[in-house]
Amino acid sequence: MEQIRGYVSQIIFRNNDNSYTVFEVNADGDCFTCFGYLPSVSEGESCQVEGEFIEHRVYGEQLRVERYQAVEPQDREAMLRYLSSGAIKGIRETLAARIVKTFGDDTMRVLDEEPMRLAEIKGISERMAREIAAQVTEKRDVRDALLFLQKYGISNRQAMKIWNTYGMDMYEILRENPYRLAEDITGIGFARADEIASRIGIQPDSDYRIRSGILFILSQALQEGSSYLPKDTVLQRSSELLGIPEEAVEIQLGNLQIERRAVIRVLGEEVQVYDESAYRQEQQIARMLTDLNAAPVHEYTDEEITARIRRIQEREQIELDELQLEAVETAARKPILILSGGPGTGKTTTINTIIRYFISDTKAVVLAAPTGRAAKRMSEATGYEAMTIHRLLECKTTGEEDTAASGQGFYFERGKDNPLEANVIIIDEMSMVDIFLMGALLRAVSPGTRLIFVGDVDQLPSVGPGRVLQDMMESGVFPTVILHKIFRQAQESDIVMNAHRILEGKMLVLDNHSKDFFFLERKDAAVIYKHTVQLMLEKLPGYLKCDPLDIQVLTPMKKGALGAIRLNEVLQSVLNPPAAGRKEYTAHETTFRVGDKVMQTRNNYQMPWEVPGNFGMALDKGTGIFNGDFGVILEISDALQEMTVRFDENRVVHYPFAELDDLELAYAITVHKSQGSEYPAVILPLLTGPTALFNRNLLYTAVTRAKGTVMILGSRSALETMISSRSRMVRYTGLRHRICAFAGTEESR
């Protein structure tokens, strides 16, 4: 690691949002360009920087700063330079000269220890002296805090988050319970907090450590999709994580329950351990659903409803089968309807009839879906505007960073005190809705509003915790219609017919006589790469009249020869290779280039976007880019240290280089990430993979993402394994039992 000692001669660029700074250090007449995340850097400041030199393609040699330390000016020239720089508000060159002339070599000591003596100087009042003293103290406190945190291997960027969160309290917090960092600071997880605690000297059997470990296990369960874990699982995982006996874990688990940070419930012979937020969500969802389901909405007799539906069918020339008719009638009669069914079973026709029924009765109908792509598909299928659930609920940011399940960093303007103004709300792709989004939606719904939930229960469950649609259906509390009949037009599609064969556990027709479903048996990953590229560049664009970027490669997993990471490297090298004038930037071991197809991997409620118009004017502005949003890189700016991406609906986002962790290449994505989307063509490479992923539901989800063509490359045996496997990744959820308990249809335990 290189070390430079000198003074900051120029600040070239500074991003005040994330403290990214490019600056120049003068060391005995030699100037060095440095960059890093540095919260308090001032021109004229004497400093010592440590880091590694890198060769920038445009700007040449630069020092990537790992550590920055402001040091006391060592002579009068350095003192004058520092005070003249404007680092302390109110002091400029003339006044700085008076201060240095008055106090000489003692200047910095006076500023630190006796700042009120500044009032002795002409032009400085006692009030101004107090203000200067406060600034000096604040700068010293920040500098001391950064130096203190550096001893424990904490970067400047994380150190500033800690300082901004705790202030001077950070010393006591780190001394007593450094595990609070994992709970309060974005980017510091349990493992990092545990490392810091070990350096500080916290004992392995510390109560704080054990509690934090348990909460970490419960947070991992949420990320895995579970609302709770069995108690035995919590004890076992926590014991393995912490290296302590399960008995010690059980004691602290009880303490977390007393503190209401964990909830322990007994259901039959199973003892369930919940993160408090997940338990609260399940309870609230169950209560709100049962309350809404009990609200009166019946406005017409059965005969009148039947007659109204008949007139709509005649006017719109719609022919409904028995189950579709039942769904429309139920929507008219009941406050809640669940409509499910696979591809080609007439869900869209049924939804369109329901919409026309209520619009003909002057009802305000609102359509929404979990993602932008799903909402767009809903709009195209119905002819009516649909929006994301986040937009429907008017998601706003708080200006703080999001911490996932806790919900900090954003809020919804629509809620109990500001409910949605709608008579009917139709939500599509309900299999993608997790317990936190469902809770937010229901809090914004007034009693008497009809709710129609549409989804395919055989799709993969939501990325977030819960299996809301499945639990609602299994509760038996809400009217549910499952469409089974495959209509004649859909029968002409082998995509549709093979999707249903997958659900039935039947082997697919793979004779390649189809117009939209093909299989190429290949047993070598390198050969699969070659054919995937040929399909994307040469075969499918002409066959389907589409752009290569519209063709989506789906894979069950992220890692491995046919995982999303490796496939993206291969596809990028051919579809968007390095070229003169094509800028690129490497972050988290991924090289991004102008023209790359990318995807957002985390909900970022603070991220601003705009829809550009003519003459530099924005047609629309907003905040929020969400997990699963696709985009294309438009520009990479070294000077601004940012990357510009255009997402669906022409939303343009400027990503600071520091926030590229939320982006990944998207030529290939996992099947889980494809939920709610539809593509002209899907290429599915399959050889071998984890048993937990190679199952029927994942294959079904992948196949049903294709609108025009499915192309499977790989092993016939892998395909047979997936079709025969009915296993799903275990999700522990209690919503079904909560609903039944509130509805009085099952004994509450």
Side-chain angles (χ1 to χ4, degrees), residues 290-317:
T290 50
D291 287 348
L292 290 168
N293 198 42
V297 296
H298 201 169
E299 298 167 339
Y300 299 101
T301 65
D302 290 349
E303 291 77 14
E304 290 171 330
I305 290 172
T306 301
R308 291 171 64 84
I309 296 172
R310 188 186 307 114
R311 287 195 295 271
I312 292 171
Q313 287 183 271
E314 291 172 354
R315 184 174 67 248
E316 303 290 338
Q317 295 184 333

Side-chain angles (χ1 to χ4, degrees), residues 397-578:
T397 67
T398 64
E400 300 173 2
E401 293 198 49
D402 174 33
T403 52
S406 70
Q408 294 178 5
F410 71 97
Y411 66 96
F412 295 112
E413 288 204 337
R414 293 291 182 174
K416 181 180 178 181
D417 298 327
N418 183 26
L420 293 166
E421 298 169 3
N423 303 116
V424 183
I425 299 173
I426 304 176
I427 306 294
D428 198 8
E429 296 287 356
M430 267 299 295
S431 62
M432 299 178 65
V433 176
D434 63 29
I435 55 174
F436 292 105
L437 187 56
M438 184 65 167
L441 172 66
L442 294 178
R443 281 188 284 275
V445 177
S446 301
T449 303
R450 286 180 173 85
L451 284 172
I452 298 163
F453 299 114
V454 184
D456 186 345
V457 75
D458 292 308
Q459 299 279 1
L460 291 172
S462 58
V463 175
R467 46 175 195 177
V468 174
L469 179 64
Q470 186 175 344
D471 278 353
M472 288 177 64
M473 292 175 67
E474 290 181 357
S475 73
V477 170
F478 311 105
T480 301
V481 177
I482 303 175
L483 304 177
H484 298 291
K485 178 182 175 182
I486 304 174
F487 286 87
R488 183 180 304 171
Q489 185 177 357
Q491 290 177 8
E492 297 174 3
S493 166
D494 287 319
I495 295 175
V496 171
M497 299 310 294
N498 277 332
H500 286 277
R501 288 189 185 98
I502 292 168
L503 288 182
E504 294 166 6
K506 298 177 181 178
M507 191 54 192
L508 309 182
V509 177
L510 302 175
D511 56 13
N512 288 338
H513 293 159
S514 170
K515 293 181 180 180
D516 60 10
F517 202 102
F518 305 94
F519 173 73
L520 295 178
E521 185 158 17
R522 301 290 184 269
K523 297 183 179 180
D524 182 82
V527 175
I528 290 177
Y529 298 155
K530 175 184 174 182
H531 286 294
T532 299
V533 169
Q534 287 178 339
L535 287 165
M536 294 186 75
L537 283 179
E538 303 169 13
K539 307 293 185 181
L540 291 176
Y543 183 65
L544 295 168
K545 303 295 187 291
C546 69
D547 188 277
L549 289 184
D550 293 330
I551 299 166
Q552 189 60 57
V553 178
L554 300 181
T555 174
M557 56 267 180
K558 288 195 69 172
K559 298 180 180 179
L562 293 181
I565 295 173
R566 179 60 183 143
L567 284 168
N568 273 312
E569 292 173 351
V570 172
L571 295 173
Q572 183 197 44
S573 70
V574 178
L575 297 173
N576 193 31

Side-chain angles (χ1 to χ4, degrees), residues 149-150 152-156 158-159 162 174 181 188 192 196:
L149 294 171
Q150 280 178 3
Y152 302 108
I154 299 173
S155 69
N156 280 336
Q158 289 180 331
I162 294 170
L174 284 168
L181 300 179
I188 297 183
R192 189 77 180 90
I196 294 168

Side-chain angles (χ1 to χ4, degrees), residues 75-332:
D75 53 42
R76 296 191 183 194
E77 181 183 352
M79 293 177 196
L80 182 60
R81 184 172 57 237
Y82 172 65
L83 293 176
S84 301
S85 68
I88 298 176
K89 293 179 182 178
I91 299 179
R92 290 298 179 183
E93 190 171 347
T94 302
L95 196 53
R98 289 183 200 161
I99 295 172
V100 174
K101 182 178 180 180
T102 301
F103 299 114
D105 295 340
D106 211 24
T107 297
M108 299 311 295
R109 187 197 66 78
V110 170
L111 284 173
D112 271 341
E113 300 175 10
E114 302 177 273
M116 292 307 296
R117 286 187 60 192
L118 293 172
E120 300 172 11
I121 297 171
K122 183 180 179 181
I124 300 180
S125 64
E126 288 190 3
R127 178 183 176 184
M128 186 176 177
R130 281 193 294 270
E131 291 174 353
I132 292 171
Q135 290 183 61
V136 171
T137 300
E138 182 181 0
K139 285 178 176 292
R140 184 181 63 240
D141 289 344
V142 172
R143 184 176 67 244
D144 291 347
L146 295 185
L147 290 173
F148 175 79
L149 294 171
Q150 280 178 3
K151 292 190 299 184
Y152 302 108
I154 299 173
S155 69
N156 280 336
R157 190 180 180 198
Q158 289 180 331
M160 276 310 297
K161 289 183 180 181
I162 294 170
W163 173 259
N164 290 336
T165 302
Y166 302 130
M168 293 298 289
D169 292 338
M170 72 170 211
Y171 296 100
E172 183 178 356
I173 289 168
L174 284 168
R175 184 172 60 253
E176 294 187 359
N177 180 18
Y179 293 96
R180 277 189 59 181
L181 300 179
E183 301 170 33
D184 300 337
I185 309 298
T186 304
I188 297 183
F190 172 79
R192 189 77 180 90
D194 201 31
E195 179 187 341
I196 294 168
S198 177
R199 292 192 183 194
I200 290 174
I202 302 295
Q203 295 301 308
D205 61 352
S206 158
D207 291 353
Y208 291 127
R209 180 171 186 262
I210 299 173
R211 291 184 207 179
S212 182
I214 295 170
L215 293 175
F216 173 69
I217 293 298
L218 294 179
S219 71
Q220 277 193 318
L222 292 178
Q223 294 176 22
E224 294 166 0
S226 292
S227 303
Y228 74 88
L229 287 176
K231 182 180 177 182
D232 290 345
T233 302
V234 174
L235 296 179
Q236 176 189 347
R237 290 189 185 181
S238 300
S239 174
E240 292 174 355
L241 173 72
L242 300 168
I244 60 173
E246 290 186 8
E247 293 77 14
V249 175
E250 189 163 16
I251 292 171
Q252 295 307 321
L253 181 58
N255 288 334
L256 285 173
Q257 183 181 24
I258 293 171
E259 295 172 4
R260 297 187 177 181
R261 303 180 71 192
V263 177
I264 300 176
R265 299 283 294 179
V266 179
L267 185 67
E269 297 181 356
E270 183 181 53
V271 181
Q272 304 170 343
V273 181
Y274 279 87
D275 174 270
E276 189 275 336
S277 65
Y279 180 77
R280 185 174 67 249
Q281 288 295 326
E282 283 195 350
Q283 285 286 90
Q284 291 178 357
I285 290 169
R287 176 182 55 76
M288 290 185 290
L289 280 173
T290 50
D291 287 348
L292 290 168
N293 198 42
V297 296
H298 201 169
E299 298 167 339
Y300 299 101
T301 65
D302 290 349
E303 291 77 14
E304 290 171 330
I305 290 172
T306 301
R308 291 171 64 84
I309 296 172
R310 188 186 307 114
R311 287 195 295 271
I312 292 171
Q313 287 183 271
E314 291 172 354
R315 184 174 67 248
E316 303 290 338
Q317 295 184 333
I318 298 172
E319 186 176 342
L320 303 177
D321 72 3
E322 184 178 342
L323 284 174
Q324 289 176 308
L325 184 60
E326 178 187 341
V328 180
E329 291 176 344
T330 304

Side-chain angles (χ1 to χ4, degrees), residues 17 39 57 69 82 235 307 328 335 398 419 565 655 686 713:
D17 292 333
R57 297 187 309 278
Q69 180 180 350
Y82 172 65
L235 296 179
V328 180
T398 64
I565 295 173
Y655 281 83
L686 295 173
L713 303 173

